[in-house]
Amino acid sequence: MILTLAAKVTPPVIDYKGFSPLIALVGGTVLVLLVALFRGRAVQRGLVPLLTAGTLLTAMGLSVWVWHAGDSRPIVEGAIERDALAMGMSMIFYVAGLATVLLSHRSVAVREAGAGEYYMLLLSSVTGMVLLAQAANLVTLFVALELLSIPLYVLCASHVRRRTSLEAGLKYLVIGSLGSATLLYGLAMIYGATGTTSFAGIDNALGDTVSIADPLFLTGVGLALTGFAFKASVAPFHQWTPDVYQGAPTPITAFMAVATKAAAFAMFLRVLDQALPSAQTYWAPALATLAVITIIVGNVGAIAQSSLKRMLAWSGVAQAGYIAAGVVVGTQKGLEATAFYLFVYLLMNVGAFAVIVARERVSEFGDDIRSLEGLGRAAPWLAWPMTICMLALAGFPATGGFIGKFYLIDAAVSGDYAWLGIVIVAGSVISLVYYLRVIAVMFMGPFEITLPAMPGRPARRVKPVGGWSPEADAWRQPEVVIVALLCAAATIFFGVWPNPLFDVVRDMGTSIQSLIG
């Protein structure tokens, strides 16, 4: 009888080629943790980070191989998909992970938390992000979201001897759990209304077996949008962002600022554009309203900040509003604009955080804006990347940020949301107040402005060693300088010649449209 039952069991169809990047990430995560059991400076400071970077590079290479195949197909019985959208988003996660490995090389948090644990958690979070970008049903989506989030709760508190780091981890855990619970309730209601967890099945059920105006379904969509908004730092669900960004170790803050936001918008695109396109008349106005509120709140909140990390946190809130405009229109152009801006946002933000990492390690002011005073003369190789990143975030011409915002505005106008494009322009003008202040401090000396007192870390004075100078300290962390310079150069490159990135995002847009069709 047992043999008869076993014969009736059909094994799942697994596309191992499409699954290979995830296999590489999981295998690399286990390997990093095992190798870290061996003590010694060479292993902890050298081999473990190298294995982490090697794992990310291997997964990146396998993703390119899968992407090159050019077809979209289920990987595991329709639970996850391999398509250009998933592969493109995965590239953002891999690059963000590699940058974090470099920025973490001399981090105190790595020594305090343990190199094996630190890098294992980083790889686990990247694995969750990749799985999230490939999710094709509600169950996979939620599992991937938790795999993404739980390691980040710990990483935020990895600077275990610093109160603000532990506080950041606890705040992120509590508020992140609330966001996850809200999302789970929403997904359960969507399943209850449609009777399926598959994105394609939900789309087919709407208007056929269930009305789009069904109260249970609409409540589920509202709760799901709220859960997504928590992860993407969309106002008014952004309150955790400034405190967590400031308290977490700066390399982790940089990773969260770009990779977590990209993963959150991958959720938006997957669910709204693939599972709920027929309900756009209900969710688009709500999301457009949230986008406007987010742009205003983020830009106004950033003006009063003296902490660079808090300023970039509020800036990230405003940027989430800009990116949401591409999701609102629900068109292929909107998806392409969203993907393009996420790529350049990765470069702009990582470059800015790299400079903050370099300065807070040697300055008595930590991440305060005063740590940048006179940087244009003392260390131009740090000042110019920071200048380029600030101008790009503000949307200046000849930078990737300008092309990205122009793309978003074009998508909004084409999708009959011209007023939302006007709000993006207005928000960019307001952002000049705090972005240009950073540049003024670096090249024009102290910039006196009355600011409200903000909670921050105590001033830390670095003891001069062997004829200390800003130049010597900067070159003691060449990997950080290299990250800053590469990000600034790429930001300029894609601002002057964006065609390669246009080709990538068009491929991503075409893939999701083919799934919808």
Side-chain angles (χ1 to χ4, degrees), residues 345-358:
Y345 184 72
L346 163 71
L347 301 172
M348 299 182 292
N349 248 35
V350 170
F353 275 109
V355 177
I356 295 173
V357 168

Side-chain angles (χ1 to χ4, degrees), residues 23 129 167 306 410:
I23 294 174
M129 293 174 182
E167 181 183 344
S306 59
D410 184 33

Side-chain angles (χ1 to χ4, degrees), residues 180-309:
S180 296
T182 304
L183 174 62
L184 182 59
Y185 276 116
L187 298 182
M189 289 182 180
I190 292 174
Y191 166 68
T194 60
T196 179
T197 61
S198 166
F199 291 167
I202 292 170
D203 186 29
N204 292 332
L206 292 177
D208 184 11
T209 60
V210 61
S211 169
I212 296 177
D214 181 74
L216 179 63
F217 170 73
L218 291 180
T219 303
V221 172
L223 290 174
L225 280 176
T226 302
F228 296 159
F230 268 108
K231 294 298 178 183
S233 299
V234 172
F237 311 103
H238 67 288
Q239 297 92 337
W240 61 273
T241 310
D243 290 340
V244 172
Y245 276 33
Q246 186 179 27
T250 307
I252 298 304
T253 303
F255 179 73
M256 291 174 59
V258 294
T260 305
K261 194 175 296 294
F265 277 101
M267 281 195 300
F268 272 113
L269 293 171
R270 281 292 184 195
V271 175
L272 298 183
D273 285 352
Q274 189 174 347
L276 307 174
S278 55
Q280 186 187 5
T281 53
Y282 289 91
W283 57 255
L287 186 57
T289 302
L290 289 179
V292 172
I293 296 172
T294 303
I295 292 171
I296 295 172
V297 169
N299 281 311
V300 173
I303 292 174
Q305 306 304 318
S306 59
S307 163
L308 292 168
K309 290 167 72 173

Side-chain angles (χ1 to χ4, degrees), residues 23-37 51 55 120 123-124:
I23 294 174
L25 286 170
V26 173
T29 302
V30 175
L31 181 61
V32 164
L33 192 58
L34 291 176
V35 170
L37 295 174
L51 283 174
T55 298
M120 179 273 293
L123 286 175
S124 298

Side-chain angles (χ1 to χ4, degrees), residues 26-102:
V26 173
T29 302
V30 175
L31 181 61
V32 164
L33 192 58
L34 291 176
V35 170
L37 295 174
F38 296 95
R39 298 300 173 187
R41 181 183 176 86
V43 173
Q44 301 296 318
R45 299 288 302 276
L47 184 57
V48 170
L50 283 176
L51 283 174
T52 305
T55 298
L56 292 169
L57 289 171
T58 301
M60 184 183 294
L62 290 171
S63 295
V64 172
W65 176 50
V66 173
W67 196 349
H68 185 67
D71 56 342
S72 301
R73 65 176 65 179
I75 295 178
V76 183
E77 287 293 333
I80 53 179
E81 298 269 1
R82 89 178 203 199
D83 56 24
L85 176 64
M87 296 302 105
M89 287 294 180
S90 297
M91 292 300 160
I92 296 176
F93 309 144
Y94 299 142
V95 174
L98 287 169
T100 305
V101 171
L102 290 173

Side-chain angles (χ1 to χ4, degrees), residues 462-489:
V462 179
K463 183 179 180 181
V465 178
W468 175 89
S469 68
E471 295 87 348
D473 274 302
W475 287 112
R476 287 191 188 115
Q477 28 187 344
E479 68 284 349
V480 178
V481 178
I482 289 171
V483 170
L485 291 172
L486 286 177
C487 287

